[in-house]
Amino acid sequence: MSTNEHSEFIDSDTGKLGMWLFLFTELFLFGGLFIVYSVMRSKYADDFHHAALELNAFVGATNTVVLLVSSMTVAMSLTAIQQKRGGKAMGLLFITLLLAGVFMVNKYFEWGHKFGLHLYPGSDVMKSLPHGEIMFFGLYYMMTGLHALHVIIGGILLTIVILKIKSGKINSEHYLLQENGALYWHLVDLIWIFLFPLLYLIT
Amino acid sequence: MKNHENHVSSDSLNWTVLVILLILTAITILAIKIHLGAFTVALALILASIKVTIVLTYFMHLKFENLLLRLMVGGVFLLFAVVIVITFIDYYFR
Protein backbone atom coordinates (compact mmCIF):
# COMPACT_ATOMS: atom_id res chain seq x y z
CA MET A 1 0.00 0.00 0.00
CA SER A 2 2.75 2.44 0.93
CA THR A 3 4.27 2.06 -2.54
CA ASN A 4 1.03 3.26 -4.10
CA GLU A 5 1.45 6.99 -4.63
CA HIS A 6 -2.24 7.53 -5.23
CA SER A 7 -3.15 6.52 -1.71
CA GLU A 8 -1.22 9.56 -0.45
CA PHE A 9 -3.90 11.77 -1.94
CA ILE A 10 -6.85 10.06 -0.33
CA ASP A 11 -7.53 12.44 2.52
CA SER A 12 -10.33 11.13 4.66
CA ASP A 13 -11.49 14.59 5.83
CA THR A 14 -11.87 15.79 2.24
CA GLY A 15 -13.57 12.56 1.24
CA LYS A 16 -16.08 12.93 4.02
CA LEU A 17 -16.66 16.61 3.22
CA GLY A 18 -17.53 15.60 -0.35
CA MET A 19 -20.00 13.03 0.95
CA TRP A 20 -21.65 15.63 3.17
CA LEU A 21 -22.00 18.03 0.24
CA PHE A 22 -23.76 15.25 -1.66
CA LEU A 23 -26.00 14.57 1.36
CA PHE A 24 -26.97 18.27 1.37
CA THR A 25 -28.27 17.94 -2.19
CA GLU A 26 -30.24 14.88 -1.09
CA LEU A 27 -31.74 16.86 1.80
CA PHE A 28 -32.93 19.53 -0.61
CA LEU A 29 -34.34 16.92 -2.98
CA PHE A 30 -36.57 15.56 -0.20
CA GLY A 31 -36.88 19.02 1.35
CA GLY A 32 -38.59 20.29 -1.81
CA LEU A 33 -41.13 17.48 -1.53
CA PHE A 34 -41.67 18.28 2.16
CA ILE A 35 -42.45 21.89 1.24
CA VAL A 36 -44.95 20.77 -1.42
CA TYR A 37 -46.50 18.46 1.17
CA SER A 38 -46.86 21.16 3.81
CA VAL A 39 -48.31 23.71 1.41
CA MET A 40 -50.80 21.18 -0.01
CA ARG A 41 -51.68 20.03 3.48
CA SER A 42 -52.56 23.57 4.56
CA LYS A 43 -54.55 24.04 1.34
CA TYR A 44 -56.48 20.74 1.41
CA ALA A 45 -56.57 19.95 5.16
CA ASP A 46 -59.78 17.84 5.02
CA ASP A 47 -58.73 15.80 1.98
CA PHE A 48 -55.33 15.09 3.53
CA HIS A 49 -57.08 14.01 6.73
CA HIS A 50 -59.26 11.47 4.90
CA ALA A 51 -56.50 10.17 2.68
CA ALA A 52 -54.02 9.74 5.56
CA LEU A 53 -56.51 7.48 7.37
CA GLU A 54 -55.95 5.01 4.52
CA LEU A 55 -52.30 4.49 5.51
CA ASN A 56 -51.39 1.74 7.95
CA ALA A 57 -49.60 3.38 10.90
CA PHE A 58 -48.56 -0.03 12.24
CA VAL A 59 -46.58 -0.88 9.10
CA GLY A 60 -45.06 2.61 9.21
CA ALA A 61 -44.08 2.19 12.88
CA THR A 62 -42.57 -1.25 12.19
CA ASN A 63 -40.46 0.18 9.39
CA THR A 64 -39.38 3.04 11.65
CA VAL A 65 -38.07 0.59 14.25
CA VAL A 66 -36.40 -1.49 11.50
CA LEU A 67 -34.58 1.56 10.11
CA LEU A 68 -33.52 2.85 13.55
CA VAL A 69 -32.03 -0.55 14.46
CA SER A 70 -30.31 -0.77 11.07
CA SER A 71 -28.85 2.69 11.64
CA MET A 72 -27.34 1.43 14.89
CA THR A 73 -25.88 -1.72 13.30
CA VAL A 74 -24.20 0.44 10.63
CA ALA A 75 -22.74 2.73 13.31
CA MET A 76 -21.55 -0.32 15.29
CA SER A 77 -19.99 -1.83 12.19
CA LEU A 78 -17.84 1.30 11.81
CA THR A 79 -16.74 0.95 15.44
CA ALA A 80 -15.87 -2.71 14.75
CA ILE A 81 -13.69 -1.92 11.72
CA GLN A 82 -11.90 0.82 13.70
CA GLN A 83 -11.18 -1.79 16.38
CA LYS A 84 -9.75 -4.18 13.72
CA ARG A 85 -12.68 -6.56 14.01
CA GLY A 86 -13.47 -7.09 10.34
CA GLY A 87 -15.61 -10.18 10.95
CA LYS A 88 -17.86 -8.34 13.36
CA ALA A 89 -18.03 -5.37 10.98
CA MET A 90 -19.17 -7.63 8.11
CA GLY A 91 -21.69 -9.41 10.36
CA LEU A 92 -23.25 -6.13 11.45
CA LEU A 93 -23.46 -4.88 7.86
CA PHE A 94 -25.09 -8.18 6.90
CA ILE A 95 -27.71 -7.63 9.64
CA THR A 96 -28.23 -4.14 8.19
CA LEU A 97 -28.87 -5.64 4.76
CA LEU A 98 -31.37 -8.09 6.26
CA LEU A 99 -33.18 -5.19 7.94
CA ALA A 100 -33.19 -3.31 4.63
CA GLY A 101 -34.81 -6.44 3.15
CA VAL A 102 -37.46 -6.46 5.90
CA PHE A 103 -38.15 -2.79 5.17
CA MET A 104 -38.61 -3.45 1.46
CA VAL A 105 -40.87 -6.50 2.04
CA ASN A 106 -43.06 -4.36 4.32
CA LYS A 107 -43.14 -1.68 1.64
CA TYR A 108 -44.09 -4.28 -0.98
CA PHE A 109 -47.09 -5.45 1.05
CA GLU A 110 -48.05 -1.87 1.89
CA TRP A 111 -48.01 -0.72 -1.74
CA GLY A 112 -49.50 -4.04 -2.87
CA HIS A 113 -52.47 -3.53 -0.56
CA LYS A 114 -53.10 -0.07 -2.03
CA PHE A 115 -52.74 -1.33 -5.59
CA GLY A 116 -55.31 -4.00 -4.66
CA LEU A 117 -57.70 -1.18 -3.74
CA HIS A 118 -56.86 0.49 -7.08
CA LEU A 119 -55.28 3.39 -5.23
CA TYR A 120 -52.40 4.14 -7.54
CA PRO A 121 -51.64 7.16 -9.74
CA GLY A 122 -53.77 7.21 -12.86
CA SER A 123 -56.32 4.57 -11.76
CA ASP A 124 -60.04 5.27 -12.21
CA VAL A 125 -60.59 5.04 -8.45
CA MET A 126 -57.84 7.59 -7.87
CA LYS A 127 -59.19 9.96 -10.54
CA SER A 128 -62.62 9.95 -8.87
CA LEU A 129 -61.16 11.17 -5.55
CA PRO A 130 -61.20 14.83 -4.47
CA HIS A 131 -58.25 16.85 -5.69
CA GLY A 132 -56.54 17.02 -2.30
CA GLU A 133 -56.63 13.24 -1.85
CA ILE A 134 -55.05 12.76 -5.28
CA MET A 135 -52.32 15.15 -4.16
CA PHE A 136 -51.82 13.21 -0.93
CA PHE A 137 -51.47 9.84 -2.64
CA GLY A 138 -49.27 11.34 -5.35
CA LEU A 139 -46.93 12.73 -2.69
CA TYR A 140 -47.15 9.47 -0.73
CA TYR A 141 -45.99 7.41 -3.73
CA MET A 142 -43.37 9.95 -4.75
CA MET A 143 -41.84 10.35 -1.29
CA THR A 144 -41.94 6.72 -0.13
CA GLY A 145 -40.91 5.55 -3.61
CA LEU A 146 -37.93 7.88 -3.75
CA HIS A 147 -37.04 6.85 -0.21
CA ALA A 148 -37.30 3.13 -1.08
CA LEU A 149 -34.99 3.76 -4.04
CA HIS A 150 -32.47 5.18 -1.57
CA VAL A 151 -32.85 2.08 0.61
CA ILE A 152 -31.99 -0.07 -2.45
CA ILE A 153 -28.99 2.11 -3.39
CA GLY A 154 -27.83 2.10 0.25
CA GLY A 155 -28.12 -1.70 0.29
CA ILE A 156 -25.97 -1.98 -2.85
CA LEU A 157 -23.40 0.42 -1.35
CA LEU A 158 -23.19 -1.57 1.89
CA THR A 159 -22.84 -4.83 -0.10
CA ILE A 160 -19.80 -3.31 -1.85
CA VAL A 161 -18.43 -2.32 1.57
CA ILE A 162 -18.83 -5.91 2.84
CA LEU A 163 -16.96 -7.26 -0.21
CA LYS A 164 -14.16 -4.72 0.29
CA ILE A 165 -13.80 -5.62 3.96
CA LYS A 166 -13.61 -9.26 2.89
CA SER A 167 -10.86 -8.52 0.35
CA GLY A 168 -9.01 -6.36 2.90
CA LYS A 169 -9.35 -3.15 0.89
CA ILE A 170 -11.30 -1.69 3.78
CA ASN A 171 -9.43 -2.20 7.05
CA SER A 172 -8.78 -0.48 10.36
CA GLU A 173 -6.45 2.00 8.58
CA HIS A 174 -8.51 2.80 5.48
CA TYR A 175 -12.26 2.83 5.88
CA LEU A 176 -13.41 6.04 4.19
CA LEU A 177 -15.79 4.16 1.89
CA GLN A 178 -17.42 2.48 4.86
CA GLU A 179 -17.75 5.83 6.67
CA ASN A 180 -19.41 7.38 3.63
CA GLY A 181 -21.62 4.32 3.10
CA ALA A 182 -22.68 4.60 6.74
CA LEU A 183 -23.42 8.34 6.30
CA TYR A 184 -25.62 7.52 3.31
CA TRP A 185 -27.48 4.88 5.29
CA HIS A 186 -28.06 7.29 8.18
CA LEU A 187 -29.47 9.82 5.68
CA VAL A 188 -32.02 7.20 4.60
CA ASP A 189 -32.96 6.91 8.27
CA LEU A 190 -33.10 10.72 8.75
CA ILE A 191 -35.55 11.13 5.88
CA TRP A 192 -37.78 8.36 7.20
CA ILE A 193 -37.84 10.01 10.66
CA PHE A 194 -39.72 12.91 9.01
CA LEU A 195 -41.73 10.85 6.51
CA PHE A 196 -43.22 8.56 9.17
CA PRO A 197 -45.07 11.14 11.30
CA LEU A 198 -46.00 13.37 8.34
CA LEU A 199 -47.53 10.62 6.19
CA TYR A 200 -48.59 7.85 8.58
CA LEU A 201 -49.31 9.42 11.96
CA ILE A 202 -50.82 12.87 11.38
CA THR A 203 -54.34 12.47 10.03
CA MET B 1 -3.78 9.09 4.55
CA LYS B 2 -5.08 7.15 7.50
CA ASN B 3 -8.27 7.82 9.38
CA HIS B 4 -6.21 7.85 12.57
CA GLU B 5 -7.74 10.96 14.14
CA ASN B 6 -11.25 9.58 14.08
CA HIS B 7 -13.31 9.09 17.16
CA VAL B 8 -14.38 5.53 17.96
CA SER B 9 -17.90 5.28 19.37
CA SER B 10 -18.40 2.47 21.85
CA ASP B 11 -21.12 -0.15 21.34
CA SER B 12 -22.76 0.91 24.60
CA LEU B 13 -23.09 4.49 23.31
CA ASN B 14 -24.72 3.20 20.11
CA TRP B 15 -27.16 1.06 22.13
CA THR B 16 -28.03 4.03 24.35
CA VAL B 17 -28.70 6.21 21.32
CA LEU B 18 -30.94 3.52 19.81
CA VAL B 19 -32.98 3.16 23.02
CA ILE B 20 -33.47 6.93 23.22
CA LEU B 21 -34.57 7.04 19.57
CA LEU B 22 -37.06 4.20 20.14
CA ILE B 23 -38.48 5.92 23.24
CA LEU B 24 -38.91 9.16 21.26
CA THR B 25 -40.67 7.19 18.49
CA ALA B 26 -43.06 5.69 21.06
CA ILE B 27 -43.73 9.16 22.51
CA THR B 28 -44.46 10.48 18.99
CA ILE B 29 -46.98 7.70 18.33
CA LEU B 30 -48.69 8.12 21.73
CA ALA B 31 -48.78 11.93 21.49
CA ILE B 32 -50.53 11.77 18.13
CA LYS B 33 -52.97 9.08 19.29
CA ILE B 34 -54.29 11.27 22.14
CA HIS B 35 -55.00 14.16 19.70
CA LEU B 36 -53.69 17.49 20.86
CA GLY B 37 -55.49 19.42 18.17
CA ALA B 38 -53.52 22.12 16.43
CA PHE B 39 -50.37 21.24 18.36
CA THR B 40 -50.22 17.68 17.02
CA VAL B 41 -48.32 18.55 13.85
CA ALA B 42 -45.98 20.93 15.67
CA LEU B 43 -45.25 18.35 18.37
CA ALA B 44 -44.60 15.59 15.81
CA LEU B 45 -42.18 17.88 13.94
CA ILE B 46 -40.38 18.93 17.13
CA LEU B 47 -39.95 15.28 18.20
CA ALA B 48 -38.75 14.34 14.69
CA SER B 49 -36.26 17.22 14.80
CA ILE B 50 -34.90 16.00 18.15
CA LYS B 51 -34.50 12.48 16.71
CA VAL B 52 -32.75 13.81 13.61
CA THR B 53 -30.39 15.88 15.76
CA ILE B 54 -29.50 12.79 17.82
CA VAL B 55 -28.82 10.72 14.68
CA LEU B 56 -26.67 13.51 13.21
CA THR B 57 -24.76 14.05 16.46
CA TYR B 58 -24.00 10.46 17.47
CA PHE B 59 -24.63 8.00 14.60
CA MET B 60 -23.21 10.39 12.00
CA HIS B 61 -20.40 11.41 14.39
CA LEU B 62 -20.93 15.16 13.98
CA LYS B 63 -20.11 15.64 17.66
CA PHE B 64 -16.59 14.47 16.89
CA GLU B 65 -16.12 16.26 13.54
CA ASN B 66 -14.35 19.55 12.93
CA LEU B 67 -16.09 22.87 13.40
CA LEU B 68 -16.30 23.61 9.64
CA LEU B 69 -18.38 20.53 8.96
CA ARG B 70 -20.64 21.14 11.95
CA LEU B 71 -21.24 24.75 10.87
CA MET B 72 -21.99 23.60 7.32
CA VAL B 73 -24.58 21.05 8.46
CA GLY B 74 -26.14 23.56 10.85
CA GLY B 75 -26.18 26.17 8.08
CA VAL B 76 -27.94 23.85 5.63
CA PHE B 77 -30.69 23.01 8.12
CA LEU B 78 -31.06 26.70 8.96
CA LEU B 79 -31.34 27.52 5.24
CA PHE B 80 -34.02 24.87 4.85
CA ALA B 81 -35.95 26.26 7.83
CA VAL B 82 -35.75 29.76 6.32
CA VAL B 83 -37.05 28.48 2.95
CA ILE B 84 -40.05 26.84 4.69
CA VAL B 85 -40.82 29.97 6.73
CA ILE B 86 -40.62 32.21 3.64
CA THR B 87 -42.83 29.81 1.67
CA PHE B 88 -45.51 30.00 4.35
CA ILE B 89 -45.26 33.75 4.77
CA ASP B 90 -45.80 34.01 1.02
CA TYR B 91 -48.72 31.60 1.23
CA TYR B 92 -50.59 33.26 4.06
CA PHE B 93 -50.13 36.87 3.00
CA ARG B 94 -50.70 36.79 -0.74
Side-chain angles (χ1 to χ4, degrees), chain B residues 6-18:
Chain B
N6 276 357
H7 174 86
V8 181
S9 296
S10 67
D11 280 0
S12 60
L13 174 69
N14 287 328
W15 276 111
T16 311
V17 172
L18 175 68

PDB file of all heavy atoms in Angstrom, chain B residues 6-18:
ATOM      1  N   ASN B   6      -9.809   9.729  13.885  1.00  0.00           N
ATOM      2  CA  ASN B   6     -11.247   9.584  14.085  1.00  0.00           C
ATOM      3  C   ASN B   6     -11.631   9.063  15.460  1.00  0.00           C
ATOM      4  O   ASN B   6     -10.940   8.256  16.059  1.00  0.00           O
ATOM      5  CB  ASN B   6     -11.826   8.652  13.020  1.00  0.00           C
ATOM      6  CG  ASN B   6     -12.110   9.418  11.756  1.00  0.00           C
ATOM      7  OD1 ASN B   6     -11.923  10.618  11.705  1.00  0.00           O
ATOM      8  ND2 ASN B   6     -12.555   8.721  10.732  1.00  0.00           N
ATOM      9  N   HIS B   7     -12.775   9.538  15.883  1.00  0.00           N
ATOM     10  CA  HIS B   7     -13.314   9.089  17.159  1.00  0.00           C
ATOM     11  C   HIS B   7     -13.928   7.699  16.987  1.00  0.00           C
ATOM     12  O   HIS B   7     -14.542   7.407  15.979  1.00  0.00           O
ATOM     13  CB  HIS B   7     -14.387  10.083  17.615  1.00  0.00           C
ATOM     14  CG  HIS B   7     -15.098   9.638  18.831  1.00  0.00           C
ATOM     15  ND1 HIS B   7     -14.638   9.893  20.092  1.00  0.00           N
ATOM     16  CD2 HIS B   7     -16.236   8.927  18.974  1.00  0.00           C
ATOM     17  CE1 HIS B   7     -15.467   9.371  20.960  1.00  0.00           C
ATOM     18  NE2 HIS B   7     -16.446   8.782  20.318  1.00  0.00           N
ATOM     19  N   VAL B   8     -13.753   6.854  17.982  1.00  0.00           N
ATOM     20  CA  VAL B   8     -14.381   5.528  17.961  1.00  0.00           C
ATOM     21  C   VAL B   8     -15.512   5.524  18.976  1.00  0.00           C
ATOM     22  O   VAL B   8     -15.285   5.713  20.167  1.00  0.00           O
ATOM     23  CB  VAL B   8     -13.352   4.429  18.307  1.00  0.00           C
ATOM     24  CG1 VAL B   8     -14.012   3.064  18.268  1.00  0.00           C
ATOM     25  CG2 VAL B   8     -12.182   4.489  17.342  1.00  0.00           C
ATOM     26  N   SER B   9     -16.746   5.330  18.470  1.00  0.00           N
ATOM     27  CA  SER B   9     -17.901   5.278  19.374  1.00  0.00           C
ATOM     28  C   SER B   9     -18.014   3.878  19.947  1.00  0.00           C
ATOM     29  O   SER B   9     -17.894   2.900  19.218  1.00  0.00           O
ATOM     30  CB  SER B   9     -19.186   5.611  18.613  1.00  0.00           C
ATOM     31  OG  SER B   9     -19.145   6.927  18.131  1.00  0.00           O
ATOM     32  N   SER B  10     -18.267   3.793  21.249  1.00  0.00           N
ATOM     33  CA  SER B  10     -18.400   2.470  21.849  1.00  0.00           C
ATOM     34  C   SER B  10     -19.767   1.877  21.519  1.00  0.00           C
ATOM     35  O   SER B  10     -20.711   2.594  21.194  1.00  0.00           O
ATOM     36  CB  SER B  10     -18.234   2.559  23.360  1.00  0.00           C
ATOM     37  OG  SER B  10     -19.319   3.281  23.900  1.00  0.00           O
ATOM     38  N   ASP B  11     -19.854   0.524  21.588  1.00  0.00           N
ATOM     39  CA  ASP B  11     -21.122  -0.145  21.340  1.00  0.00           C
ATOM     40  C   ASP B  11     -22.184   0.304  22.340  1.00  0.00           C
ATOM     41  O   ASP B  11     -23.345   0.472  21.978  1.00  0.00           O
ATOM     42  CB  ASP B  11     -20.941  -1.666  21.441  1.00  0.00           C
ATOM     43  CG  ASP B  11     -20.330  -2.234  20.169  1.00  0.00           C
ATOM     44  OD1 ASP B  11     -20.066  -1.436  19.241  1.00  0.00           O
ATOM     45  OD2 ASP B  11     -20.125  -3.456  20.088  1.00  0.00           O
ATOM     46  N   SER B  12     -21.764   0.536  23.585  1.00  0.00           N
ATOM     47  CA  SER B  12     -22.758   0.909  24.598  1.00  0.00           C
ATOM     48  C   SER B  12     -23.368   2.276  24.273  1.00  0.00           C
ATOM     49  O   SER B  12     -24.563   2.489  24.467  1.00  0.00           O
ATOM     50  CB  SER B  12     -22.139   0.909  25.996  1.00  0.00           C
ATOM     51  OG  SER B  12     -21.086   1.833  26.058  1.00  0.00           O
ATOM     52  N   LEU B  13     -22.549   3.185  23.719  1.00  0.00           N
ATOM     53  CA  LEU B  13     -23.091   4.489  23.311  1.00  0.00           C
ATOM     54  C   LEU B  13     -24.124   4.293  22.199  1.00  0.00           C
ATOM     55  O   LEU B  13     -25.215   4.874  22.243  1.00  0.00           O
ATOM     56  CB  LEU B  13     -21.969   5.414  22.813  1.00  0.00           C
ATOM     57  CG  LEU B  13     -22.445   6.747  22.223  1.00  0.00           C
ATOM     58  CD1 LEU B  13     -23.023   7.656  23.297  1.00  0.00           C
ATOM     59  CD2 LEU B  13     -21.322   7.469  21.493  1.00  0.00           C
ATOM     60  N   ASN B  14     -23.792   3.442  21.220  1.00  0.00           N
ATOM     61  CA  ASN B  14     -24.716   3.196  20.112  1.00  0.00           C
ATOM     62  C   ASN B  14     -26.035   2.597  20.607  1.00  0.00           C
ATOM     63  O   ASN B  14     -27.113   2.975  20.140  1.00  0.00           O
ATOM     64  CB  ASN B  14     -24.073   2.270  19.075  1.00  0.00           C
ATOM     65  CG  ASN B  14     -23.001   2.994  18.271  1.00  0.00           C
ATOM     66  OD1 ASN B  14     -23.102   4.187  18.024  1.00  0.00           O
ATOM     67  ND2 ASN B  14     -21.967   2.273  17.873  1.00  0.00           N
ATOM     68  N   TRP B  15     -25.940   1.648  21.555  1.00  0.00           N
ATOM     69  CA  TRP B  15     -27.165   1.060  22.125  1.00  0.00           C
ATOM     70  C   TRP B  15     -27.996   2.125  22.830  1.00  0.00           C
ATOM     71  O   TRP B  15     -29.213   2.194  22.675  1.00  0.00           O
ATOM     72  CB  TRP B  15     -26.824  -0.050  23.130  1.00  0.00           C
ATOM     73  CG  TRP B  15     -26.571  -1.383  22.500  1.00  0.00           C
ATOM     74  CD1 TRP B  15     -25.379  -2.042  22.425  1.00  0.00           C
ATOM     75  CD2 TRP B  15     -27.531  -2.247  21.864  1.00  0.00           C
ATOM     76  NE1 TRP B  15     -25.538  -3.246  21.776  1.00  0.00           N
ATOM     77  CE2 TRP B  15     -26.843  -3.405  21.422  1.00  0.00           C
ATOM     78  CE3 TRP B  15     -28.908  -2.155  21.628  1.00  0.00           C
ATOM     79  CZ2 TRP B  15     -27.469  -4.454  20.759  1.00  0.00           C
ATOM     80  CZ3 TRP B  15     -29.541  -3.199  20.956  1.00  0.00           C
ATOM     81  CH2 TRP B  15     -28.821  -4.324  20.528  1.00  0.00           C
ATOM     82  N   THR B  16     -27.314   2.979  23.624  1.00  0.00           N
ATOM     83  CA  THR B  16     -28.027   4.035  24.354  1.00  0.00           C
ATOM     84  C   THR B  16     -28.773   4.939  23.387  1.00  0.00           C
ATOM     85  O   THR B  16     -29.942   5.272  23.594  1.00  0.00           O
ATOM     86  CB  THR B  16     -27.028   4.874  25.185  1.00  0.00           C
ATOM     87  OG1 THR B  16     -26.200   3.976  25.927  1.00  0.00           O
ATOM     88  CG2 THR B  16     -27.739   5.809  26.125  1.00  0.00           C
ATOM     89  N   VAL B  17     -28.073   5.326  22.307  1.00  0.00           N
ATOM     90  CA  VAL B  17     -28.698   6.207  21.317  1.00  0.00           C
ATOM     91  C   VAL B  17     -29.928   5.535  20.715  1.00  0.00           C
ATOM     92  O   VAL B  17     -30.989   6.158  20.572  1.00  0.00           O
ATOM     93  CB  VAL B  17     -27.680   6.586  20.213  1.00  0.00           C
ATOM     94  CG1 VAL B  17     -28.368   7.333  19.086  1.00  0.00           C
ATOM     95  CG2 VAL B  17     -26.560   7.433  20.794  1.00  0.00           C
ATOM     96  N   LEU B  18     -29.802   4.237  20.392  1.00  0.00           N
ATOM     97  CA  LEU B  18     -30.939   3.522  19.807  1.00  0.00           C
ATOM     98  C   LEU B  18     -32.130   3.516  20.760  1.00  0.00           C
ATOM     99  O   LEU B  18     -33.263   3.793  20.355  1.00  0.00           O
ATOM    100  CB  LEU B  18     -30.553   2.077  19.444  1.00  0.00           C
ATOM    101  CG  LEU B  18     -31.715   1.222  18.933  1.00  0.00           C
ATOM    102  CD1 LEU B  18     -32.198   1.709  17.567  1.00  0.00           C
ATOM    103  CD2 LEU B  18     -31.338  -0.251  18.855  1.00  0.00           C
TER     104      LEU B  18
END
